[in-house]
Structures are given as C-alpha cells and as structure tokens.
C-alpha cells in the first residue's frame, strides 16, 4: 500500500507517472528495450529528450532566447557552475542568505568569486526574506544569486528581487512548476529535479543565451553551460532514465492543467495546513506569514519530547517523512506538486488527533 | 519482444534486473514508495546504498584503503575531477592517448595541468596500445592517466602500465567488472555506469585514500573526492534511482558467479565474434589482435555502401545498435556483461547470412 510521503526530496511522485514508467520498463513502446538501455544518440531517445525540453518550455513559457539544459550534479553542481560560467576569478558577485541552501551556495561561491552577501537573514533566525526594495545590488556584480525557497527553513520569496542590469540567478529546486514564474526576470534559473520534477540525478538549468559567453576557460566540461547548450545537453552521456522520468512528470503537469492549476492546488494545500497550524495552540510555525513556503511547512509542538512520538505515530498512520531536517529538528511536511490534497487532509486530521491525545 | 541490443552505452541490461526494478517501482518491499521517492537519508535508502558499495568492494576485491564513491557527471566529470583532485595548477601529469576517450581526457586535463602525452597511438591509427614496458613515466608526474578500453576504436589494454611511484589513474568505464582487476595496482579507477554497471547518470570512483589530501581548493564540491568520501557520497542528494539500479546489477553479477564467471563468458563471446570475423574474407577488424577489446568489436565490410543495409537488416532481425560510432563509421557490436552469448551467436549467424547474400 502506498503511503503519503512528505519527504523534502527525493520526494513523492505522481503514481500515474510511476505506473507508466513501470509498464514501459522492460520494453519502451515496442522498441524492444528499456529507455535506460537506449543509446542517447538513438532517434527514440533524442525524441524523448526533445519532448521533455519542449514541455518544460511550454509549461514555464520560456522565451526563445533562453537555453534549457538537463545536467548532472544537482543544484550543488550549479553552486559551482554559476560563478564558473558567469564571472572572472575574484569578480564581485552578490548573494542573499536566507537559510541553509543559500549558505551553501555562498560557501561554494567563495571558492571562485568575491562574494558580497547583501542580506543575511541569520539575524532573523531565517524566519523571513529581505524586504522587497531593500536591496542595493552593486552595479559591478557579475550576478545576484538567491534561493527562491529554503527547503529546510520553509521560507519562500513572495517576489522576484530587482537587480537592475545585473543578471538574477536563482535556485528554484523546490518551487519550480509549483506556480507561474516570469522567466524573463531571470538570467539563470536552476533546479534539482528531486522535488517537483522527477528523480534525483538530473538538474534543469534555464539560462539566457547572451550569458553563455562569460565562462572561464577552466570550467569543467560537465558544468559548462555553453558547451552543453551547443550539444543539446549531450556533450557526454546524459542521465537518460532521469531525463525520461522528468518528461513523464512534465506530461503529467500538462495533463493536470499546467502551472496555473498546480498553483491553485498548492495554495489550497498550503492554506489547509497553515490554517490548521494557526488555528491550534499546540502547533506553531516560526516563519513570518508573508514568507511562508508553499512547498515545505515546518512546524513545532510545545514539547520537543513529543517530536519522535509524533513522527512515529504518523508513520504508523501511513504519513511518512515528517521529521524536520536533522539540523533544525521539529517536524516538516513537504507538499510538492505530486502531494494530493487528500494527503494534506490526512495529515491535518492526524495532527488534530495527536493534539487531542497530547495537548 | 526484447531485441539483442549491441549499443555501446547506454547499453543492454540484464532482463532479470529490469524485471526486479519493475516489480518494485511503485512500492519498494512494502515501504509504500518507490526507491526514487525515498529520502536519501532514510534507513531504507542508506541500506540500499551501503549494500551496493559492499557488493562493489566484494566483486572487485577492493582493498580497505580505497574509498568507493558513487558520483554524478559521468566519466567526463572525472576527466576534470582527476587533475582537480590530484594535481596543483600546471603540475606535470602523464597521459596515454589510445583513442577518442583518452583524447577527451587529455583535452580536459589541459585546462588544469601540464599534460605530457607519453604515447600517442594516433600514428597507428588507434589500432593498438603502447608496447608493455615502453613507457617512461616522469617521476614528477602527478599521475599517469590511461583509458583501459576505447569504446569507439575497440582497443583494450591487455596489461596494467607500470608507473613506479606515480599513481596510475584509469578510465575503466567499458571494462569494469568484465574481468578480474588488481585494484592495488591503481591510484584511481573510475567508470561511468552505462556499460557494465547500470543506467547512465552515475559514475563509480575507486580511489586510494592516501590520494584524498591532494585536492586543490577550487575543486567543485560535486567533484570533490575527499568531501564525497567523508560524506559517503551524500554531500548532496545522490542519484538514488541509478545507485539502486547499479546495486541490482551488482547483485546479478554476484549471482552469476562474480567477475571470474563474467570473464569466462566475455572471453567466449569475444572468441566467437572475432573468430567469425577472422574466418571470413568479407568482414575485417582493424585492431591488432593483442589489443582487441572484449567489450566493443568494430568491424568493416568490403564496401562501405553495404554498411547501412547491414545495420538496417540486422535491426529487422532483432539485432539493434550495430552502427559504428558516427566519427569512424563501419559497424560495432558492444558485448558487455549483460549481452548473453545467444545474442552474439545470433549476430554471427546474421553476419554469415549477410555475407552469403552480399559477398
């Protein structure tokens, strides 16, 4: 029996996608082989790959002057790729620090560029994002980097920062396709797949083509956006199985009604869960309301000794993956596109029961 | 109906492995979720990952003073990782050039080190490897890099080069687990999975632990062997689905009788196919007999106009992926571990028929 899986990533996937992949796993549509056995140069796989790219472009309305890449190495690979592709050694680059993931991007960036942290939400205990309009982005910065959503802290930007002529680069790993996004506001959008797009092991990078001429010579080939764009992301053997699965997820999003419908569902799910937390004196969420994540909802109980019993009893009830990140404790429910509202309702019902027994 | 797939990689996989993965794809052993949906920090996935590592260690008899890593970025990622982890900027490093893949490793190495090509088989038209004992490896070289098997040229080293105290680094992508290997002769062995180990999107790196302190500060985190070794290859989210599939392939190799049995089968397959080529005046193989690959068998017909008809008629007969690499033309049969001898026999029978009709 399938459980409701609230894991932050790798995360739950649509059952229809898994069943489709299952049915094709030993023989893809009469080809006599699994997708994972196909040459990436074969007509079959090239069409699978191109279709995934087309769906990504359609769903996000990606303008034509942007390349869409499918790379290995995850968002962590892009923490290095961003400075290596966009900035000279030691050039200034602006970063916003709103939690664990942006701090990692900052640390990796320091290997390559002169990182200027324009806003550091450590002082707010990572409970919010910088106020809109408060940022002064240096005009000589190679780019402004920020993390659209902090998976661990449950903090999400409700706006796109304005950096003037400086290209805005964002890690959209946990928000991509969860709501509409104006791609033209960005220089680069990158996202590890394992939250809203598919399995771990593939990362989508959407990059404005005029930024493809800035790479330093020593960028590793596997992280070289220009070389990858020129080779349709097949400079070397791509992660074909993961790419195919991302394509199936994109097809599913399309069939459900696209990003607008995802946004409608995700807002309803977030309203339900945050509403239950707000209505209770037992549960709490530490994030300022305007910056609360639609995707990752951390919550606390009055006594941390109740955390383990909560997580264990929830797992017994078929609600899996609710422990908070080991660095912060508490609980966390990740409610990505593939989590149905029935799962959130089951969680809210369980929370009510747990409060009655322990409150 | 499944075909015999002679693709050079991604390549055919054992049907038993695909069927096992298929049966577990929506619910892994009662966990209520697919492996690809599991948190990489979950007990279930950590045990899947550890078991794959243990099997790799057992099958290759990896000594305890070697780390075994499961990384993203493919062998191409390791073309950069090798110099970045082992050598200072501009330090001398020795390379052997025996074909297309070693040439790519050389080109990538030149971004980071002073590449010394000790032997260049371009002059032999990549039809052999350097004679054993002919190499003079500079004592100040950071490492000696060679490609154990050239997938495109069908050239394989029948020996391990001796480099004295200089660590030997090898790209074993298309030979790993095809026959026994004395790991202790190497500093580093790396292999993209998509030939003998599983799907594309994961790369195994076996590295002697005393070499883990040589990385330069600017190695990207996703390619940082030391950081990955310290984190059990989970510095960031690993390609969990691919790792699991590699584990299933390793279990299959174990069940078949291990690497010694793979070697017996692979020798029989290679003998059968090269024997048929040798016995014919119609087919030819350009590689010197001592350096012929057990894994990738290129062959020519007397008239290149017959190549397309050969490949097309073979595909009709259920023998797929026989076109030579686009850079060299001709035909090529890749006969990795998962290709049964029945497939090679079917190919030889087809070749005989084709010769009778066209010879």
């Amino acid at each position: 029996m399938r459980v409701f899986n609230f894991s932050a990533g790798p995360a739950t996937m649509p059952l229809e996608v898994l069943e489709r992949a299952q049915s094709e796993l030993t023989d893809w549509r009469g080809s006599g082989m699994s997708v994972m056995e196909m040459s990436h140069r074969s007509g079959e796989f090239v069409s699978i790959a191109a279709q995934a790219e087309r769906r990504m472009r359609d769903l996000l309305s990606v303008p034509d002057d942007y390349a869409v890449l499918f790379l290995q190495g995850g968002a962590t690979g892009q923490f290095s790729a961003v400075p290596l592709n966009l900035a000279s050694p030691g050039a200034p680059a602006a970063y916003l620090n709103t939690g664990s993931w942006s701090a990692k991007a900052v640390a990796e960036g320091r290997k390559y560029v002169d990182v200027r942290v324009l806003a550091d939400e450590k002082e707010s205990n990572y409970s919010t994002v910088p106020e809109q309009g408060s940022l002064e982005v240096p005009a000589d910065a190679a780019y402004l980097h920020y993390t659209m959503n902090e998976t661990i802290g449950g903090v999400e930007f409700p706006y796109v920062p304005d950096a003037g002529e400086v290209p805005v680069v964002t890690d959209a790993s946990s928000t991509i396709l969860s709501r509409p996004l104006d791609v033209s506001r960005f220089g680069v959008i990158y996202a590890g797949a394992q939250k809203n797009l598919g399995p771990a092991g593939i990362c989508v990078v959407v990059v404005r083509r005029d930024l493809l001429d800035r790479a330093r010579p020593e960028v590793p080939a596997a992280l070289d956006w220009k070389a990858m764009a020129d080779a349709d992301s097949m400079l070397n053997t791509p992660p074909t199985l993961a790419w195919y699965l991302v394509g199936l997820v994109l097809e599913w999003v399309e069939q459900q009604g696209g990003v607008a419908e995802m946004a409608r569902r995700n807002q309803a799910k977030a309203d339900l869960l945050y509403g239950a937390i707000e209505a209770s004196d037992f549960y709490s969420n530490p994030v300022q309301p305007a910056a609360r994540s639609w995707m990752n909802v951390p919550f606390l109980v009055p006594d941390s000794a109740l955390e383990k019993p909560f997580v264990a009893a929830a797992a017994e009830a078929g609600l899996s993956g609710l422990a908070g990140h080991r660095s912060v404790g508490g609980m966390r429910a990740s409610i990505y596109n593939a989590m149905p509202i029935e799962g959130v309702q089951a969680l809210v019902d369980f929370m009510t029961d747990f409060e009655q027994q322990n409150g």
Side-chain angles (χ1 to χ4, degrees), chain A:
Chain A
M1 201 202 67
R2 299 260 304 164
V3 298
F4 288 119
N5 174 9
F6 293 92
S7 175
T12 194
M13 287 180 56
L15 181 59
E16 300 94 308
V17 165
L18 296 174
E19 287 175 340
R20 170 81 167 277
Q22 185 172 44
S23 74
E24 299 177 341
L25 205 72
T26 63
D27 185 357
W28 184 81
R29 304 182 197 180
S31 65
M33 63 183 79
S34 177
V35 169
M36 72 181 102
E37 301 175 295
M38 287 176 183
S39 168
H40 55 296
R41 307 286 181 196
S42 65
E44 288 92 340
F45 186 75
V46 167
S47 102
I48 289 170
Q51 205 163 46
E53 179 182 338
R54 188 189 56 69
R55 287 206 159 96
M56 179 67 76
R57 287 185 173 280
D58 288 353
L59 286 166
L60 276 185
S61 305
V62 177
D64 286 345
D65 58 330
Y66 285 73
V68 175
L69 311 177
F70 293 81
L71 305 181
Q72 295 186 60
T76 297
Q78 296 307 311
F79 294 167
S80 329
V82 166
L84 287 166
N85 281 284
L86 292 181
S88 312
Y95 281 74
L96 309 183
N97 180 21
T98 53
S100 176
W101 290 106
S102 37
K104 288 185 188 201
V106 162
E108 189 70 10
R110 288 206 165 108
K111 293 181 181 175
Y112 309 105
V113 288
D114 177 14
V115 170
R116 313 272 176 87
V117 178
L118 301 190
D120 193 336
E121 291 298 337
K122 199 173 179 183
E123 57 202 53
S124 75
N125 206 19
Y126 297 124
S127 65
T128 189
V129 298
E131 210 176 321
Q132 185 163 13
S134 69
L135 300 171
E136 291 189 26
V137 182
D140 64 343
Y143 54 86
L144 168 69
H145 180 281
Y146 80 105
T147 308
M148 206 168 263
N149 177 84
E150 288 284 354
T151 314
I152 294 175
V155 174
E156 183 170 349
F157 273 84
Y159 66 91
V160 176
D162 184 2
E165 295 300 306
V166 174
V168 177
V169 177
T170 195
D171 177 353
S173 295
S174 41
T175 45
I176 196 161
L177 293 188
S178 69
R179 54 169 88 184
L181 191 65
D182 180 356
V183 174
S184 72
R185 300 281 302 275
F186 297 89
V188 183
I189 299 166
Y190 64 90
Q194 66 272 16
K195 288 124 186 332
N196 271 327
L197 294 177
I202 191 161
C203 179
V204 173
V205 182
V206 180
V207 51
R208 216 173 62 211
R209 290 187 190 278
D210 68 314
L211 298 174
L212 291 175
D213 61 356
R214 303 189 182 189
R216 44 180 99 171
E218 67 269 25
V219 61
L223 298 176
D224 184 335
W225 295 339
K226 173 74 160 64
M228 283 293 185
D230 288 347
D232 293 329
S233 303
M234 296 196 196
L235 183 73
N236 64 329
T237 311
T240 49
L241 177 61
W243 196 335
Y244 152 76
L245 289 163
V246 168
L248 294 186
V249 171
L250 296 174
E251 188 176 351
W252 177 85
V253 173
E254 205 172 80
Q255 287 164 350
Q256 302 301 304
V259 177
E261 173 63 13
M262 291 295 119
R264 195 193 62 74
R265 295 184 192 179
N266 288 326
Q267 175 142 39
K269 282 149 51 182
D271 287 351
L272 176 59
L273 184 48
Y274 284 114
I277 293 168
E278 286 296 299
S280 144
D281 292 328
F282 186 79
Y283 300 104
S284 62
N285 170 288
V287 179
Q288 292 190 17
R292 284 182 178 165
S293 169
W294 281 14
M295 297 284 103
N296 311 101
V297 183
F299 55 94
L300 299 168
V301 283
D303 177 357
S304 64
L306 286 171
E307 292 174 2
K308 279 195 175 175
F310 181 99
V311 170
E316 281 294 308
L319 307 170
S320 166
L322 285 164
H325 190 268
R326 58 213 160 104
S327 65
V328 293
M331 273 78 68
R332 174 179 51 170
S334 295
I335 50 177
Y336 299 118
N337 282 354
M339 173 60 66
I341 196 156
E342 291 76 15
V344 180
Q345 186 62 57
L347 171 59
V348 166
D349 292 345
F350 172 83
M351 289 167 71
T352 306
D353 287 351
F354 188 85
E355 178 179 351
Q356 277 166 0
Q357 283 160 34
N358 296 277

